[in-house]
């Protein structure tokens, strides 16, 4: 999965607890919007400038109106504060929308690095960089991009909530694609999903050696840390994390800030290594509201 995550400004915080706290006025509450990203294969950068975030209701409520430029790929398996403690009147809001003024992607195409930008003069391009082609963002800078909530649920804000944070997942792999025909353009058709942060969960994948199973030795002995876990969402976006040793002796890959749903969890090995696992891989994992789901793989054979 290549999905937005370094401290970028007072609005962007790579880690931390986000909350919705009632403020002094009983008719309002404070809202935080936390941004995460599901990544995409072959993408090296996906940079956007967000100029406005607002809630649509009987009256629109602006949560952010200062430009923030962010590389979405830095947020894989992480999250950042895009809006922090914005004061919002109580009520029911039909939509959360993002206005994006521009951006660029850097992709690997047939072994070559290419950049596609909304404009040759887009301010987010690194100094001296020339774009190889155009990135088209229809409607992104006018009415804004709608965040899709499960079952098209409304966003309800009350002053009685002690914690209510909106987690927004910008799926890079599903949001950018080549334009039809031979124009050479790329188009952004965003897939942006949202949920209350309290409903998000995580997948903890572990890897261990089975009884009697030994890793191949030789000049370059194979280690469990050479294996990686891959999380695949329902849209096919993939996120890869290496297994790291934990204090209890297991090797763990922990995928965080996941919206509820069913995912596939796979295990990959270095080139030239064959292996089997129990359970067999990939395995299915269903994320419930605010829960951790464990997928425990045991290597039953390894060779190279």
């Amino acid at each position: 999965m290549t999905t937005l995550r370094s401290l970028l400004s007072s609005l962007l915080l790579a880690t931390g607890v986000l909350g919705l706290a009632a403020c002094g006025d009983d008719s309002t509450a404070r809202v935080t919007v936390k941004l995460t990203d599901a990544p995409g294969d072959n993408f090296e950068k996906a940079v956007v400038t967000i100029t406005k975030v607002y809630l649509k209701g009987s009256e629109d409520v602006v949560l952010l109106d200062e430009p923030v430029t962010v590389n979405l790929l830095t947020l894989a398996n992480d999250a950042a504060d895009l809006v922090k403690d914005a004061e919002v009147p109580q009520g029911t809001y039909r939509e959360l929308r993002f206005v994006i003024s521009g951006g660029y992607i850097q992709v690997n195409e047939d072994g070559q690095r290419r950049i596609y930008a909304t404009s040759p003069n887009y301010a987010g391009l690194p100094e001296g960089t020339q774009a190889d082609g155009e990135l088209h963002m229809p409607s992104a800078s006018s009415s804004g991009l709608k965040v899709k909530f499960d079952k098209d649920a409304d966003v309800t804000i009350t002053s009685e909530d002690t914690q209510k944070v909106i987690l927004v997942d910008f799926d890079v792999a599903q949001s950018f694609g080549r334009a039809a025909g031979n124009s050479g353009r790329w188009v952004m058709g965003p897939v942006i999903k949202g949920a209350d942060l309290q409903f998000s969960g995580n997948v903890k994948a572990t890897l261990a050696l089975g009884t009697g199973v030994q890793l191949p030795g030789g000049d370059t002995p194979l280690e469990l840390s050479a294996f990686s876990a891959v999380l695949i969402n329902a849209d096919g976006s993939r996120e890869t994390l290496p297994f790291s040793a934990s204090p209890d002796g297991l090797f763990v890959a922990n995928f965080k800030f996941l919206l509820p749903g069913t995912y596939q969890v796979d295990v990959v090995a270095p080139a030239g290594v064959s292996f089997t696992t129990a359970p067999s891989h990939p395995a299915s994992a269903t994320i419930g509201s605010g829960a951790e789901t464990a997928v425990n793989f045991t290597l039953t054979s390894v060779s190279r």
Side-chain angles (χ1 to χ4, degrees), residues 179-185:
N182 298 314
S183 66
R185 293 193 311 170

Side-chain angles (χ1 to χ4, degrees), residues 47-125:
V47 175
V48 295
T49 298
I50 301 169
T51 56
K52 184 178 179 181
V53 178
Y54 66 101
L55 286 164
K56 286 186 67 66
S58 56
E59 295 184 3
D60 293 348
V61 177
V62 176
L63 306 179
L64 169 72
D65 60 1
E66 295 182 359
V68 174
T69 298
V70 59
N71 178 4
L72 300 177
L73 300 190
T74 64
L75 296 184
N77 205 47
D78 201 348
D81 285 358
L82 181 62
V83 176
K84 181 69 173 177
D85 289 340
E87 191 168 308
V88 175
Q90 295 182 54
T92 298
Y93 298 88
R94 299 186 303 275
E95 298 173 2
L96 175 67
R97 285 186 173 264
F98 281 56
V99 176
I100 298 178
S101 61
Y104 79 90
I105 56 171
Q106 180 174 300
V107 296
N108 189 315
E109 296 180 316
D110 302 323
Q112 295 188 4
R113 177 175 293 169
R114 294 188 175 94
I115 290 176
Y116 297 85
T118 51
S119 164
N121 301 318
Y122 168 56
L125 282 169

Side-chain angles (χ1 to χ4, degrees), residues 209-210 213-215 227 273-278 298-303:
L209 280 175
V213 177
Q214 294 185 338
L215 295 173
F227 290 78
V273 174
S274 300
F275 67 99
T276 58
T277 64
T298 299
L299 289 173
T300 52
S301 68
V302 190
S303 63

Side-chain angles (χ1 to χ4, degrees), residues 29 38 45 48 123 130 140-141 195 207 214 266:
K45 292 182 181 179
V48 295
Q130 289 188 331
S141 61
L207 185 65
Q214 294 185 338
D266 206 352

Side-chain angles (χ1 to χ4, degrees), residues 199-203 258-263 285-293:
F199 296 145
S200 70
N202 67 293
V203 168
L258 302 176
L259 300 184
T262 299
Y263 298 77
T286 299
I287 306 300
S289 176
E292 176 179 273
T293 299

